[in-house]
Amino acid sequence: MDTRVGLIQWLVGSEPCYVSIGLKIGEDKEWVDRSYAFPSEATDIEELFRAHEQIHDLYFCPTPLSKRNRTKINVPYSYCCWADLDDCPPEKLLVPPSIVVESSIGRHQAIWKLRDMAGPLDVENINRRIAYYHHSDGCDKTGWDLTQMLRVPNSYNFKHMPAQAVRLKEFYNGRVYTLSDFDVYPELEQISQETILIPIPTQLPDETAHDILAALANSVHPRVNRLFSEVPTVDWSTNLWDLEQCLFEVGATPQQVFIVVREAACNKFSRDGRPDNVLWQEVQRAQAYHQRKGFGASVAQTRYVNSDRNLLSNEEVSVADDYGCFIDDYKEWGTEASDAPPQYHIGGALVILSSLMAANLKLDTSFGSIIPNVWLMIVADTTLTRKSTTMDMAMDVIVEVTPDALMATDGSVEGIMQAMSLRAGIPSIMLRDEFSGLLELMNKRDYYAGMMEMLTKLYDNKPYRRQLKKETVAIEDPVFIMYTGGVKEKLYSLIQPNHITSGFFPRFIFVVADADFNRIRPLGPPTERGVESRRIILDRVRDIHYAYSQVDRSNFTQSYRKLKLTDTAWRRFNAADEILQTIGMQSGTSDLLTPMLTRLGISGIKVASLLAGSEQLDGGPVTVDEIHIVKALSYLENFKEHAIQVVNNTGVSTTEKQLQRIFSFVEGADANGIARSIIMQKFGLMARDADVILTTLSQRGMVKLGRTGGTQMVAKV
């Protein structure tokens, strides 16, 4: 993916939407506005950028659109705030921006990424406050509106002769904010933008909020009563949004939702003294999002899109960020030493810690015992993401300290079993940097039948026996770790629903990243700082290994240390586990996402146990406190989204993906539809292929086929 398109995706979010791209063409600077369904038409945006970046001014709108027209009424939400700084130095901003774009020499644009989806009026209010506050510093007072166009990085500004480069000057993906972070900017005395975009209906149902909730009591989620009646201590926006989504999920009308949230304790607009018409816009936005969650749903069989629930509160995010640990230190070294995505190094650190401690730590629970072995799979976009490089870096550290941990990187069912039968209680890493080849064999060959079941048993630390041709092979006390990777499209084409429902793939922690061309570095010698940082990492790894590899001389067995979670740690884990299960069960693919996220919760306990174990090296039981759970959840926040992405692509054939792209294209047309010939040209379809695809969409009730003036037309139903 083009880095610029990746930047747009980071800003507009992963929900399907429309993205507006602008061009100024010719000597007269004629303005051309083009809209694209996103992400299905992302490649079209890439092609436009490549075709025009050297000859025309390029712009993009940072807000997603619900329809192709770039108007305020079509902006349902935003994941960012922005300012056209012009001559204002970025260092004067009260909140450091996530992105700084140098639009020409000495002039800048700033963008702040939001942690959660925010209402359009809230974002516009913040944009305006920033612009007016810094106007005396040179900031443009007119660049705050929802449909503002910003310059595309890595293009050119043709206002100047010669043209000046538009550069991505700063990019900090860790700078993610909540709306309250902008409270340092004073409110303006008069906000004129709280106008009625869609009028409140003159006739509302003759019902109270309690009447509506009573009628929906048998179908609505139990947490609705809490959201309605309890005043939030923090994060009013999330509580209000949750309440609206729960009501829309069970078929409440916008008018009914408006009545309920108007009386709700979490109504932030009433708290702030803002008029009802602003609350009505919020309800309209929530309805648009609820409907959009089913965008293309009949094509992908109600495929789940994304989660709205965060595992951590804003305060906990800050606590987790401030809590240093081996994983963060390893990530920092790995990021210095390579241009791989930082999340890959988080995965590598987990594998290192697991190889050092999984054989000597065990947590007894009401459902059985857990050892902190992890399975990690890196899902890479291209070779530019440095998947193999990252895995080699982690394995080099492991092998230098404990070389016996690495098993053969390939093998049959019998080979793996025979090797494991000789490794009772010994950490055993199966390394496969291209797992799709093995997965393909497991899908197609009888020779590999039962391999997934066997590997799952090994993960669970269960004894396993199998009758081979000449002998019975028995495995006792397995400590089995898988460190794997694969190219995204290849893996997605091979993963099937039964791989998830069987419990095999849910045991993996998935780490997904796209290629980021801004991270690529030229080849060169190692730096002194990098060598010293690696030495420090190795010393810490050796200390941990020594603490967990002591031998009891009386019986020559390894020392054994129990894990124990404090009561507050258990409560914090169970609260997060409930969120994960709720996300899974309420999704359109609950049969797949629920086991993925439930098992991810168990992986969270393992991560917390490894964090605690890496700090407590003096022997005795290892205590997992609430802070270890919170820190683990800070990693799971991203792992959760990666697991969802895997589920979204499971069992979706190439044909289904083509159907979804074409439906998205048709949906963006006006009410009269779009000509069949245009669809054929756009997607390179032969007549026979067009017949099959359009007939399929028609029979699914998604489009209607007809004629206008002799031209075959396709329109959304």
Side-chain angles (χ1 to χ4, degrees), residues 302-378:
T302 61
R303 191 143 301 278
Y304 186 82
V305 176
N306 203 348
S307 66
D308 305 316
R309 302 291 303 279
N310 293 324
L311 300 178
L312 297 177
S313 67
N314 294 331
E315 290 77 11
E316 287 176 325
V317 170
S318 297
V319 170
D321 288 343
D322 292 339
Y323 189 82
C325 65
F326 173 83
I327 296 175
D328 287 350
D329 293 342
Y330 181 88
K331 180 190 71 172
E332 183 177 349
W333 165 68
T335 304
E336 289 178 359
S338 77
D339 50 11
Q343 58 264 42
Y344 285 6
H345 297 299
I346 292 174
L350 287 175
V351 173
I352 291 172
L353 292 180
S354 185
S355 70
L356 299 174
M357 292 182 281
N360 304 92
L361 289 174
K362 184 171 288 188
L363 175 68
D364 294 326
T365 76
S366 56
F367 294 98
S369 297
I370 297 173
I371 65 170
N373 61 321
V374 297
W375 284 7
L376 194 104
M377 183 176 292
I378 293 177

Side-chain angles (χ1 to χ4, degrees), residues 440-589:
E440 198 164 18
L441 291 174
M442 287 191 286
N443 283 345
K444 293 182 178 180
R445 296 189 182 179
D446 292 339
Y447 185 65
Y448 283 82
M451 190 170 192
M452 287 188 184
E453 178 187 358
M454 178 198 71
L455 295 176
T456 302
K457 289 284 187 181
L458 298 183
Y459 172 92
D460 293 338
N461 191 228
K462 303 295 184 184
Y464 190 76
R465 287 172 173 76
R466 183 161 176 167
Q467 181 65 49
L468 303 181
K469 290 183 179 180
K470 296 182 179 180
E471 60 180 332
T472 299
V473 177
I475 300 174
E476 302 291 340
D477 193 19
V479 183
F480 190 64
I481 299 165
M482 291 187 73
Y483 193 17
T484 65
V487 176
K488 186 182 298 182
E489 288 305 317
K490 181 66 173 177
L491 276 173
Y492 287 165
S493 68
L494 294 171
I495 299 175
Q496 297 300 314
N498 65 293
H499 298 157
I500 294 177
T501 55
S502 68
F504 178 68
F505 272 108
R507 282 164 169 76
F508 282 95
I509 293 174
F510 288 93
V511 181
V512 183
D514 296 324
D516 183 352
F517 294 98
N518 287 328
R519 295 190 57 82
I520 298 174
R521 304 175 192 167
L523 188 64
T527 64
E528 290 185 10
R529 179 179 176 183
V531 172
E532 176 62 16
S533 297
R534 186 179 189 274
R535 185 193 64 76
I536 294 172
I537 291 292
L538 272 173
D539 286 345
R540 292 182 65 181
V541 170
R542 289 190 181 99
D543 289 343
I544 297 170
H545 177 248
Y546 179 80
Y548 286 90
S549 60
Q550 298 303 296
V551 174
D552 184 344
R553 296 298 175 184
S554 62
N555 56 14
F556 294 96
T557 59
Q558 287 185 314
S559 61
Y560 175 76
R561 301 177 64 183
K562 277 198 171 187
L563 283 163
K564 180 182 179 181
L565 268 68
T566 63
D567 291 342
T568 55
W570 274 120
R571 285 195 293 272
R572 189 62 194 84
F573 163 74
N574 286 322
D577 193 47
E578 180 184 354
I579 292 174
L580 290 170
Q581 291 185 36
T582 300
I583 292 171
M585 289 186 293
Q586 291 186 345
S587 72
T589 51

Side-chain angles (χ1 to χ4, degrees), residues 17 33 77 86 96 109 137 201 220 238 274 298 338 364 439 498 513 525 527 574 583 587 598 607 625 632 647 691 705:
C17 62
D33 217 334
Y77 57 87
D86 277 355
Q109 296 171 334
D137 298 319
V220 79
T238 298
R274 299 171 73 180
S298 49
S338 77
D364 294 326
L439 182 56
N498 65 293
T527 64
N574 286 322
I583 292 171
S587 72
T598 300
V607 173
D625 291 314
V647 169
D691 288 339
L705 310 179

Side-chain angles (χ1 to χ4, degrees), residues 311-312 320 327 603-609 611 626-639:
L311 300 178
L312 297 177
I327 296 175
S603 294
I605 285 187
K606 294 190 176 192
V607 173
S609 300
L611 289 169
E626 183 178 11
I627 182 59
H628 299 120
I629 296 293
V630 169
K631 186 66 175 180
L633 293 177
S634 71
Y635 300 125
L636 255 65
E637 197 73 78
N638 287 324
F639 297 155

Side-chain angles (χ1 to χ4, degrees), residues 114-182:
L114 298 177
R115 187 179 306 281
D116 301 308
M117 178 187 297
L121 294 177
D122 290 330
V123 167
E124 204 171 48
N125 178 24
I126 290 173
N127 293 347
R128 193 177 186 199
R129 284 154 52 194
I130 294 172
Y132 275 72
Y133 185 89
H134 291 291
H135 178 58
S136 60
D137 298 319
C139 188
D140 182 0
K141 283 202 305 184
T142 66
W144 48 263
D145 60 289
L146 289 172
T147 55
Q148 176 74 15
M149 300 295 274
L150 304 176
R151 285 192 177 269
V152 174
N154 299 337
S155 62
Y156 287 90
N157 185 334
F158 290 96
K159 284 184 178 179
H160 305 274
M161 293 301 293
Q164 295 182 6
V166 179
R167 299 190 305 116
L168 183 61
K169 191 172 180 180
E170 297 178 11
F171 175 61
Y172 301 96
N173 61 5
R175 286 182 181 173
V176 182
Y177 298 99
T178 63
L179 296 181
S180 61
D181 291 324
F182 296 90

Side-chain angles (χ1 to χ4, degrees), residues 95-119:
V95 179
S98 311
I99 295 170
V100 175
V101 174
E102 187 177 55
S103 55
S104 61
I105 296 175
R107 298 169 73 87
H108 300 89
Q109 296 171 334
I111 305 175
W112 293 263
K113 181 72 164 67
L114 298 177
R115 187 179 306 281
D116 301 308
M117 178 187 297

